[in-house]
Each structure stands twice: as C-alpha cells, then as structure tokens.
Amino acid sequence: MVKVNTNFQRLPGSYLFSTIAKKVSEFSAANPDKQVIRLGIGDVTKALTPTIVKALHDAVDEMGQDATFRGYAPDLGYDFLRHAIAENDYRGKGCDIADDEIFVSDGAKSDSGSIQELFSADSRIAVTDPVYPVYVDSNVMAGRTGLYDEKAGKFEDVIYMPATSENGFSPEFPKEEPDIIYLCFPNNPTGTTIPKERLQEWVDYANRIGAVIIYDAAYEAYISQGDVCHSIYECDGAKTCAIELRSFSKNAGFTGLRLGFTVVPKELKRSGVSLHDMWARRHGTKFNGAPYIVQRAGEAVYSDAGKAEVRGLVDYYMENARVILGGLKDAGYEVYGGVNAPYIWMKTPKGLDSWGFFDYLLEKANVVGTPGVGFGPCGAGYFRLTAFGTHDNTKAAIERIRSI
C-alpha cells in the first residue's frame, strides 16, 4: 500500500490566508447587505500599466504567427529578461551580478517554497518570528522541522528569532547556529526594515558560521530611506553566503501574471558544491519556464516608461500606507511599518488577541486584516493591514476603524 508524506500531517490547520478567506466568505453569506473592505491579503488592486499591457499584446501577436511563435521557454529564463534584471536591479546599482546568476520563475512564493530542496533534510533553519508562513511550512513538508508544539506555536527543530517592538523588529543572532537563515526586508508582516550596517552584520555572521541566508526582497521597490539596502548584495561578502528572491507582483502588479526570479551567485558554495549549479539543475528538471508573453511584460518594466509607471503604482500604494499609518496613530493605536513597506503592523486593542480582533473588526467595521499570530507566536496580539486597496476603500476602512 502506498504511504503518504506524513510530514504534511504536522502542519497546523489550513494555510493562513485560506482560513481568512473562509471566515470572510461565511460572514458575507450571512450579511449580504454589508460591504466588506479587504485589507488582509497582500494582493494589488491597480490595473497593469499601459507599457506592460502593450508588451503583452505585442507578445501575443508574435505567438499568433508561425515565424515568431515561441514554444517552451528556456528553463532558466529568456536572455532578454535576465539581462534587463541584472543590468537594472543589480549592476546599475553597484551590485556585481551576472546575467546567468538570474533564474526567472513564476513568482517568489514558488521559489521561497522550493529553495529548501538544495539543502539536506537535517539542516537547521532559523526564521524571524513573526514570519511569512511559506518559509516554515515548506520545511515542514520536507521533514526538517520536527513536531509542532501547539501550546507554544512552534516547531521543535526550528530556530525562532524574535522580532518585536522591544528589539526594534531587528532579530538578534540565535544562540544555536543555524544552517539556513530566512530574512525578509522590508519585512512581511511587520513592514519594518533594518539599516545596511545591521544587514552587513548578518552577512558577516553567515559567512563566519558557514550558513546560507535566503533573503526575500519582494518589497524592495517600496524602500524610501537611504540607509536601507534594496539588495543583500550591497553588503560585502554576500555573494558567498546569500540567495536573493525577488518578485514582479508587488511593484508592477503581476500577482495575476506570475513572474519572479532568484539570484544564486556562482561564488556560493557549500561542501565544495556550487548552489548555483544545483539550482540550475533543479530548475531544469522541475520547471518549463515562465510564459514568453509574461517575460516580455517583465522586460517592459525596465523600459523608461515602465519604470515611471511602476514608480506611480508604488507611490499610489504608499499613499494608502500613509493614510493607514496616520489614521491609526491619530486614533491612539500602536503601529509600525508603513514607511518602507506597504504593510502596517498594529497592536491589537481592548485586550483582544489577534483572531479576536479579526472577528471584532469584521463584525463591527466590516474590514478584513490578517491576525498577527498567523505569522508566528511573536505575532500574538498584533494585526497586519495592507496598503494594496484603492484610495477610497482605504480611507473608508480607516474611518470605520476609528469609529468603533
């Protein structure tokens, strides 16, 4: 008889955002007259920009002619997109990253879940707490985390690094030495960042102990302060210890198109083995490449017009962040983030826990956010709101929250 992967049984409950969607669906069915405003899941609401749409149309036209039709994409990405990424996101900003160190994919979420395949099953992972759930869940599925302690809200073999208001949401080096360190800045869910000198300390630490940093930079386009790194490769020595994940979803609105990439430097080796070569082999075996039309749209992001339009999208959402941050502060809430990221991290009021505040906000204000405890035990008593709504809905949501 076939045996299932029992590691899946160690996952507590359903995926966080699936649980939220179910709760909202049930509320809406029971209250059809209520207009629910969703500021929970980090999904964009603005349409694709004209330059990106034109690139899509042009690529579709190519696909409709035998002479320009494209079949399977190169598994590592088309050269035109890998060059545009390396030139604009890295070499143009002082980071020595080659075209062939860019691996194009269908999104950072896929890569953040798959990257753990490069490492042995007995590797110890360290994550900030709170943390994006995919980092932990994908390692649970791989059998790397041990059993789940429901009371503590932790897995026994995961090293948790608290990121709290007490330490400025800048985690300390763990007492135990990890093999893999997950860092995300600007951070999801807290919306906070660390200065370059602190990120340099993490790079130095990883190189010193032989760990690998998985650096999620999905929100780098939202950075406004000069002392915050857009890429970990701005730090000396990062190419020998860090893999960087990026996404087109939150800057250019590709949540529905699906496009991202991972950077694996050739200098990154462990036990004499090239992680660059391993990721290339994994990519070639398990991935047939992102669609041609989507990669052409990605290339358009780096045109002069595309850059200006994407900047406009980011500015639009950061105006929402300003409204949320200012409105909640004025109402007396304890809030963080919202300066270098489209997320606002708020302390729950009235003695409510995270899920209690979720229910309270949905019932009293018809506003949806994300319970902080869903991101880890240090998220208990916190709540995340996103700036990805429309201006009107964002303003209305804050007014509703202020009125309850």
Side-chain angles (χ1 to χ4, degrees), residues 269-282:
K269 298 179 181 180
R270 289 296 181 269
S271 303
V273 178
S274 166
L275 271 66
H276 175 277
D277 293 348
M278 288 181 67
W279 188 241
R281 184 66 172 86
R282 186 264 171 205

Side-chain angles (χ1 to χ4, degrees), residues 14-23 40-42 109 132-133 188 343 355 369-371 375 384 386:
S14 64
Y15 184 58
L16 172 62
F17 296 105
S18 299
T19 302
I20 291 171
K22 181 180 179 181
K23 279 179 166 282
I41 191 170
K109 181 177 182 179
Y132 181 48
N188 177 16
Y343 294 123
W355 279 109
T370 307
F375 297 100
R384 192 192 76 175
T386 84

Side-chain angles (χ1 to χ4, degrees), residues 27 74 312 354:
F27 176 85
S354 294

Side-chain angles (χ1 to χ4, degrees), residues 288-344:
N288 267 338
Y292 172 71
I293 61 173
V294 177
Q295 292 197 51
R296 279 299 187 193
E299 179 190 34
V301 169
Y302 297 104
S303 66
D304 290 341
K307 290 177 182 177
E309 291 167 0
V310 166
R311 184 71 252 168
L313 290 177
V314 170
D315 290 345
Y316 181 94
Y317 294 127
M318 288 310 294
E319 172 61 19
N320 286 343
R322 186 193 66 78
V323 168
I324 297 171
L325 189 66
L328 293 178
K329 279 185 176 180
D330 290 346
Y333 289 94
E334 181 182 332
V335 289
Y336 304 92
V339 176
N340 294 297
Y343 294 123
I344 290 80

